[in-house]
């Protein structure tokens, strides 16, 4: 997946710090999104007709999708951090992971909505 990395252009220390801070902000965005989806799942499972099987399944689905987002964000953060430290830049093929994770989140939210509306 990342074996097609190209060397990054040499940068000044300020630019390197900016890159690391941008990586951290992206990780925090994944963490925030995952935590929000997990809390939404808990709310669905507990607040919408307690004991309703479809609400419980929808809630579990959302909690699982949120957990996947948090794990993906952490793995991505580490991979990008290593790339920044080694001076390697992942090209456009690095978009595949975040795209798959985003689609998974959307599918989980859509499936949860379908379960709740049936």
């Amino acid at each position: 997946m990342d074996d097609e990395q190209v060397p990054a252009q040499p940068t000044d220390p300020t630019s390197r710090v900016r890159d690391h801070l941008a990586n951290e902000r992206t990780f925090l965005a994944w963490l925030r999104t995952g935590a929000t989806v997990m809390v939404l799942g808990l709310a669905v499972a507990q607040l919408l007709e307690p004991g309703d099987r479809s609400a419980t399944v929808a809630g579990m689905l959302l909690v699982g999708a949120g957990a996947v987002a948090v794990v993906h964000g952490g793995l991505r953060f580490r991979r990008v951090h290593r790339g920044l430290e080694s001076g390697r830049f992942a090209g456009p093929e690095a978009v595949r992971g975040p795209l798959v994770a985003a689609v998974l989140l959307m599918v989980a939210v859509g499936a949860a909505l379908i379960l709740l509306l049936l």
Side-chain angles (χ1 to χ4, degrees):
M1 178 162 76
D2 290 345
D3 51 351
E4 302 252 348
Q5 293 181 344
V6 295
Q9 296 295 326
T11 58
D12 61 49
T14 305
S15 178
R16 185 170 178 215
V17 170
R18 259 189 252 130
D19 291 342
H20 280 287
L21 291 173
N23 185 35
E24 186 175 348
R25 283 191 302 273
T26 302
F27 167 65
L28 293 173
W30 277 103
L31 185 64
R32 183 179 58 243
T33 301
T36 301
V37 172
M38 291 171 77
V39 168
L40 177 64
L42 291 172
V44 164
Q46 292 298 313
L47 300 178
L48 295 179
E49 301 178 37
D52 181 18
R53 186 178 192 100
S54 63
T56 302
V57 171
M60 289 171 44
L61 186 63
L62 290 172
V63 168
V68 167
V70 169
V71 169
H72 171 74
L75 294 173
R76 182 190 179 285
F77 173 79
R78 289 181 59 202
R79 185 178 67 245
V80 171
H81 179 77
R82 282 192 307 267
L84 290 171
E85 287 297 310
S86 69
R88 307 290 284 173
F89 174 76
E93 66 278 349
V95 170
R96 184 177 32 204
L99 184 60
V100 168
V103 168
L104 176 66
L105 281 171
M106 290 188 296
V107 167
V109 170
L113 284 173
I114 290 170
L115 281 170
L116 292 173
L117 295 176
L118 292 180

